[in-house]
Amino acid sequence: MKNVIVDTGRKRYPIYIKAGASDATGSLAAEITGITKALLITDDNVDRMYSRRIIDSLEGEGFSLSKCVILNGEGSKNIENYIKILTALSKNKISRNDTVFALGGGMVGDIAGFAAATYLRGIRFVQIPTTLLAMVDSSAGGKTAINFDSGKNQIGAFFQPDLVICDPDFISSLPDEIFRDGCAEVIKYGVIADGRLFKMLKGPAMRQMEGIIERCLMIKSRLVYEDEFDLGRRQLLNFGHTFGHAIEKCSNYSVTHGKAVAVGMVMAAAAAEVLGICSSDCYRDIKEMVSAFGLPCKTDIAEGELFDAMFSDKKRSLKEITLVLPEEIGRCILKKIPVAELGSFVRFAMKDKEMTSAYRSCFS
Ligand code: GLY
């Protein structure tokens, strides 16, 4: 079994990666949380497919389980479902020694993690991601949140899980679209920190899935170790996300996270090329890789709308916004853009090939 350790200095926990690992959820969890009462949180789709198998494993080990099911989709990551989960925790008399299990994609992990972080000021929490996106990104690193009127993930907490179980078997039954969403995050890791991973993606990705997930999580674990609270280097993980979150918000979350991040990565690369930060080859490689996975490279959302949505993004400070821009495949930089220049920046990023070097002078 592949095993990546996340160590924040305050907390250390394992991520197990192996096909079939979820069948051993009960024994893997028992070693870490002890045998406790537990609430399994999942969505209706995942519930139909996988809950039984996880419940059998947990109950077989002696866990005493209740279940809370919410509707699938990012729209469910809201305050109403947060209250629904808290109510289930409270009704089932879950105590501080008990455990929350999140079984599902990023939406389930985020909202379940936020409930685990805040109920009784924090209880044990195990992530069992069922999508590629959740395996390589959202299930590890401790970002938990719900969406709010002002944007995505606006109410949340840093709360590290006690254990993450990644079972790549889940991936083979994913609808193509959801699989591709995860591929956007994998491409991201290649661009920010691992040129070799980027090359691996040119081969048959499914056959190397455990290795790909492990490489992504090793990068994530290193960045979380260096910067748990996202004040510096961890922001590299936001490559494509500042534009991406704005696209998600403007589309009322009908554009999925992975697709929005895919467009965001191409936009960031386009802007980096205009600014002379990366070469046109680098921009082209990123765009081609995004297209090769059937992900979009462009959005038809208007510049002004996108700008407003970026401005409400929680990552902004009053005067500037930090964007992640590629220098080459495998290396990105954090660049602070004054808010006054953000409008032009969004324009450059959206102009695609129409951009000319004349724009560069604006940022010299
Ligand atoms: N998803 C980005 C991060 O965990 O920092």
Side-chain angles (χ1 to χ4, degrees):
M1 175 127 54
K2 291 188 192 297
N3 178 350
V4 173
I5 299 290
V6 179
D7 186 351
T8 67
R10 294 184 312 136
K11 185 163 181 178
R12 192 181 147 86
Y13 59 92
I15 305 173
Y16 296 120
I17 310 159
K18 189 177 169 26
S22 63
D23 288 329
T25 297
S27 55
L28 293 173
E31 265 179 44
I32 293 190
T33 63
I35 294 165
T36 69
K37 210 182 225 193
L39 183 72
L40 177 74
I41 300 168
T42 189
D43 73 36
D44 55 333
N45 279 343
V46 175
D47 185 42
R48 269 192 301 277
M49 291 192 286
Y50 302 123
S51 280
R52 189 68 263 158
R53 171 171 157 189
I54 303 300
I55 290 171
D56 285 349
S57 173
L58 285 165
E59 288 185 341
E61 200 66 30
F63 282 84
S64 153
L65 223 66
S66 359
K67 187 171 76 170
C68 176
V69 182
I70 55 182
L71 262 187
N72 70 87
E74 183 68 21
S76 285
K77 214 170 88 179
N78 58 28
I79 205 141
E80 289 78 20
N81 279 324
Y82 170 62
I83 291 170
K84 177 175 171 169
I85 294 168
L86 293 183
T87 307
L89 286 163
S90 164
K91 270 199 178 143
N92 287 293
K93 299 192 170 36
I94 300 289
S95 77
R96 286 197 79 182
N97 295 326
D98 295 328
T99 312
V100 162
F101 287 86
L103 174 69
M107 183 279 285
V108 166
D110 283 4
I111 194 169
F114 184 52
T118 46
Y119 178 73
L120 302 179
R121 300 197 185 94
I123 65 173
R124 293 185 177 120
F125 176 42
V126 175
Q127 289 260 26
I128 312 166
T130 56
T131 63
L132 177 59
L133 189 149
M135 286 182 204
V136 297
D137 190 42
S138 58
S139 64
K143 281 191 181 174
T144 71
I146 55 174
N147 302 330
F148 200 55
D149 294 349
S150 49
K152 193 174 155 86
N153 297 335
Q154 295 286 295
I155 304 177
F158 286 95
F159 187 69
Q160 302 293 339
D162 295 279
L163 166 69
V164 182
I165 300 170
C166 282
D167 182 347
D169 272 357
F170 288 130
I171 296 174
S172 45
S173 55
L174 285 179
D176 214 39
E177 222 192 339
I178 296 181
F179 172 67
R180 282 205 288 256
D181 251 34
C183 294
E185 293 285 353
V186 176
I187 296 169
K188 173 192 86 177
Y189 282 104
V191 177
I192 64 169
D194 191 345
R196 213 171 135 221
L197 170 63
F198 196 84
K199 282 202 189 107
M200 276 167 87
L201 297 177
K202 293 181 177 159
M206 271 319 275
R207 269 194 253 141
Q208 340 173 51
M209 203 40 82
E210 279 179 29
I212 287 175
I213 294 170
E214 184 187 27
R215 285 186 96 95
C216 294
L217 288 170
M218 278 164 61
I219 297 166
K220 178 136 198 186
S221 139
R222 195 177 69 230
L223 290 170
V224 170
Y225 171 72
E226 289 171 7
D227 175 25
E228 180 182 7
F229 297 115
D230 206 16
L231 300 168
R233 284 195 40 85
R234 181 170 179 169
Q235 291 174 23
L236 288 170
L237 294 168
N238 294 332
F239 175 50
H241 282 60
T242 304
F243 292 118
H245 282 174
I247 292 168
E248 283 181 87
K249 183 171 178 232
C250 292
S251 76
N252 211 10
Y253 302 101
S254 64
V255 175
T256 59
H257 181 69
K259 281 190 181 144
V261 166
V263 176
M265 290 190 292
V266 176
M267 287 174 69
E273 188 200 352
V274 173
L275 298 176
I277 293 170
C278 76
S279 65
S280 50
D281 283 357
C282 170
Y283 164 69
R284 194 205 51 229
D285 284 352
I286 292 171
K287 195 172 171 187
E288 280 178 6
M289 184 61 85
V290 164
S291 301
F293 278 92
L295 291 159
C297 296
K298 278 188 175 183
T299 175
D300 50 16
I301 294 165
E303 283 166 24
E305 236 188 291
L306 214 59
F307 173 81
D308 288 345
M310 280 174 81
F311 198 58
S312 75
D313 188 283
K314 67 188 181 308
K315 290 174 209 72
R316 80 178 147 78
S317 62
L318 277 182
K319 293 199 184 96
E320 52 197 11
I321 189 161
T322 302
L323 291 179
V324 187
L325 301 175
E327 284 188 321
E328 61 181 35
I329 301 299
R331 197 173 69 231
C332 281
I333 55 163
L334 298 172
K335 187 166 173 65
K336 290 192 194 313
I337 305 286
V339 162
E341 289 171 16
L342 189 60
S344 323
F345 197 89
V346 173
R347 254 189 323 278
F348 304 163
M350 294 183 84
K351 291 271 184 209
D352 200 7
K353 280 300 180 191
E354 289 159 37
M355 293 184 291
T356 70
S357 58
Y359 290 127
R360 285 181 201 170
S361 57
C362 305
F363 289 97
S364 58

